[in-house]
């Protein structure tokens, strides 16, 4: 007990003495930390294939609402790299979006679009995947094409991606008459008589948009009245969707165009062009044929006239092709193309953007 009392007394004396001398018990000694100034690093976005996009889910039906959602997400994630233009409003109030990768004033520009024919909406997914893949390439996630890093290939070329050039028609094919919002538009469609909405190709006015361009338009007869397909409209460019593509092609420095359709697994490239345009068209088409494995078809008389590709190559002098996807597995013509075919379609078409830019710059 005496020992304990002695220890307590000693502690009290130490504390009292320390307070009297205004001393504070020493803090633990810390090892010094050396801080090195690091140069500011450029922020790199995540790979888009890992982002929250509907296109990454490969849905059975990629809808107009899915497209709007994905475009907004792309603006949020990589808004400094893309601009989004509203080309026109449709008769049922939807927007045809042009997602522009690059400078709209650039000397060399490419136009790629899908889903001009409503039931061919699987092509919207092809074009959206190409857009996301191209953004990834510019952010360092791409490889090479013909020995050239794809980010170098793309950095001075502007690409216009229009995934869904006929959003009203796509909605009709996917959801039938119930997908139409405007009662007047709905009544006009109903007045056309019994229609197989799943097989719908036209826009909501019953005009086949790929028969609405000034290339053989006068000669083409078609259905003669508004319907699900083959009605050419009242004049070339009478439809807002077709007129928007015409303006874009005329106003920008478009040097190559690709329109995606289904479902022949081939490439149409010829429509009466001559001279340098003929030579450039054939080289371009051969490059894409080599890349995709789709054979070339030059017989424009085997299909209806007044299409966008025909007008672009004949009236505008722009090497242009139509790529028909959807018969990669030899199962025949099936529209709408089942989503089970998408992976084989993508494997053939994943490098089409790079092959197009390579042709434009080096061939």
């Amino acid at each position: 007990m005496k020992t304990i009392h002695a220890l307590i007394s000693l502690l009290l004396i130490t504390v009292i003495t320390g307070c009297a001398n205004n001393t504070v018990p020493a803090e633990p000694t810390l090892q010094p930390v050396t801080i090195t100034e690091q140069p500011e690093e450029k922020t790199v976005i995540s790979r888009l294939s890992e982002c929250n996009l509907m296109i990454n889910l490969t849905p059975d039906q990629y809808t107009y609402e899915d497209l709007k959602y994905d475009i907004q997400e792309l603006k949020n994630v990589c808004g400094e790299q893309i601009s989004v233009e509203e080309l026109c409003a449709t008769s049922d109030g939807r927007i045809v979006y042009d997602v522009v990768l690059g400078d709209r004033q650039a000397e060399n520009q490419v136009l790629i679009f899908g889903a001009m024919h409503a039931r061919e909406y699987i092509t919207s997914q092809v074009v959206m995947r190409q857009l996301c893949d191209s953004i990834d390439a510019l952010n360092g996630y791409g490889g090479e094409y013909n020995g050239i890093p794809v980010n170098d290939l793309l950095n001075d070329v502007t690409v216009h991606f229009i995934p869904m050039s006929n959003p009203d028609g796509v909605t009709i094919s996917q959801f039938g008459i119930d997908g139409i919002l405007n009662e007047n538009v709905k009544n006009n469609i109903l007045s056309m008589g019994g229609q197989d909405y799943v097989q719908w190709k036209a826009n909501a006015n019953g005009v086949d948009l790929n028969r609405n361009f000034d290339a053989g338009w006068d000669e083409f007869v078609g259905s003669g009245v508004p319907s699900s397909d083959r009605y050419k409209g009242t004049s070339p460019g009478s439809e807002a969707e077709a007129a928007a593509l015409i303006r874009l092609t005329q106003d920008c420095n478009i040097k190559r165009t690709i329109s995606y359709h289904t479902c022949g697994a081939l490439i149409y490239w010829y429509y009466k062009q001559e001279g340098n345009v003929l030579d450039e068209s054939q080289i371009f088409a051969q490059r894409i044929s080599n890349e995709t494995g789709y054979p070339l078809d030059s017989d424009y008389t085997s299909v209806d006239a007044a299409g966008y590709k025909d007008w672009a190559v004949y009236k505008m002098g722009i090497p242009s092709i139509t790529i028909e996807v959807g018969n990669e597995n030899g199962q025949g013509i099936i529209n709408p193309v089942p989503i089970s075919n998408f992976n084989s379609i993508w494997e053939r078409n994943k490098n089409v953007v790079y092959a197009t830019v390579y042709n434009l710059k080096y061939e």
Side-chain angles (χ1 to χ4, degrees), residues 76-97:
N76 294 340
V77 174
C78 48
E80 294 182 356
Q81 294 177 299
I82 63 171
S83 60
V84 179
E85 303 293 331
E86 297 184 1
L87 296 183
C88 69
T90 66
S91 61
D92 200 39
R94 296 176 181 84
I95 301 297
V96 176
Y97 291 103

Side-chain angles (χ1 to χ4, degrees), residues 205-240:
N205 295 330
V207 176
D208 186 329
L209 295 176
N210 210 37
R211 311 277 81 84
N212 197 227
F213 294 88
D214 189 15
W217 188 90
D218 288 330
E219 297 83 3
F220 178 66
V221 177
S223 67
V225 295
S227 64
S228 63
D229 70 342
R230 302 191 78 244
Y231 175 57
K232 66 181 182 179
T234 57
S235 62
S238 63
E239 301 308 293

Side-chain angles (χ1 to χ4, degrees), residues 32 56 65 74 89 99 135 144 159 177 194 196 204 210 216 223 226 265 273 276-277 279 307 322 349 359:
N56 291 335
E65 296 301 323
L74 291 179
V99 185
I135 295 172
E144 295 184 344
V159 186
I177 196 69
D196 182 354
N210 210 37
S223 67
Q273 66 264 46
N276 289 338
V277 180
D279 295 338
T322 296
N349 289 273
N359 165 259

Side-chain angles (χ1 to χ4, degrees), residues 90-344:
T90 66
S91 61
D92 200 39
R94 296 176 181 84
I95 301 297
V96 176
Y97 291 103
D98 174 22
V99 185
V100 186
L101 186 62
D103 179 7
R104 286 181 61 85
Q105 305 304 316
E107 179 181 355
N108 292 318
Q109 302 190 31
V110 173
L111 170 60
I112 301 176
F113 63 91
M116 175 171 277
H117 281 152
R119 68 187 186 186
E120 300 169 12
Y121 49 78
I122 197 170
T123 59
S124 292
Q125 296 198 51
V126 175
V127 176
M128 274 299 290
R129 282 279 186 93
Q130 289 174 335
L131 166 62
C132 293
D133 208 51
S134 298
I135 295 172
D136 278 345
L138 284 174
N139 286 296
Y141 295 109
E144 295 184 344
Y145 184 83
N146 263 19
I148 302 173
V150 290
N151 56 336
D152 291 341
L153 198 61
L154 292 173
N155 66 11
D156 59 351
V157 174
T158 295
V159 186
H160 298 258
F161 295 89
I162 305 176
M164 196 176 291
S165 54
N166 180 12
D168 286 355
V170 167
T171 302
I172 294 171
S173 179
Q174 292 175 341
F175 300 105
I177 196 69
D178 293 335
I180 295 300
L181 306 173
N182 185 289
E183 285 299 319
N184 290 331
V185 174
K186 184 179 293 188
N187 289 334
N188 286 338
I189 293 172
L190 291 172
S191 71
M192 297 176 198
Q195 303 285 348
D196 182 354
Y197 294 120
V198 172
Q199 295 300 320
W200 194 271
K201 294 177 68 177
N203 69 357
N205 295 330
V207 176
D208 186 329
L209 295 176
N210 210 37
R211 311 277 81 84
N212 197 227
F213 294 88
D214 189 15
W217 188 90
D218 288 330
E219 297 83 3
F220 178 66
V221 177
S223 67
V225 295
S227 64
S228 63
D229 70 342
R230 302 191 78 244
Y231 175 57
K232 66 181 182 179
T234 57
S235 62
S238 63
E239 301 308 293
E241 301 93 333
L245 285 172
I246 292 169
R247 286 195 305 273
L248 175 63
T249 307
Q250 292 175 334
D251 293 348
C252 297
N253 298 319
I254 303 296
K255 301 293 179 62
R256 299 289 186 275
T257 83
I258 297 175
S259 48
Y260 271 102
H261 287 261
T262 65
C263 89
L266 51 79
I267 296 172
Y268 294 110
W269 67 276
Y270 178 69
Y271 186 83
K272 303 180 182 179
Q273 66 264 46
E274 299 175 345
N276 289 338
V277 180
L278 174 62
D279 295 338
E280 291 178 2
S281 298
Q282 192 160 19
I283 293 170
F284 172 38
Q286 190 62 59
R287 165 64 57 182
I288 303 304
S289 177
N290 292 344
E291 180 60 46
T292 61
Y294 298 140
L296 299 180
D297 191 326
S298 61
D299 183 10
Y300 66 88
T301 64
S302 65
V303 294
D304 290 339
Y308 172 86
K309 180 267 297 176
D310 301 341
W311 168 80
V313 74
Y314 184 55
K315 292 296 180 73
M316 296 298 295
I318 301 171
S320 302
I321 60 175
T322 296
I323 302 179
E324 296 264 356
V325 304
N327 191 23
E328 281 75 7
N329 301 321
Q331 79 279 28
I333 305 300
I334 301 174
N335 276 310
V337 175
I339 197 62
S340 58
N341 289 3
F342 183 81
N343 287 340
S344 58

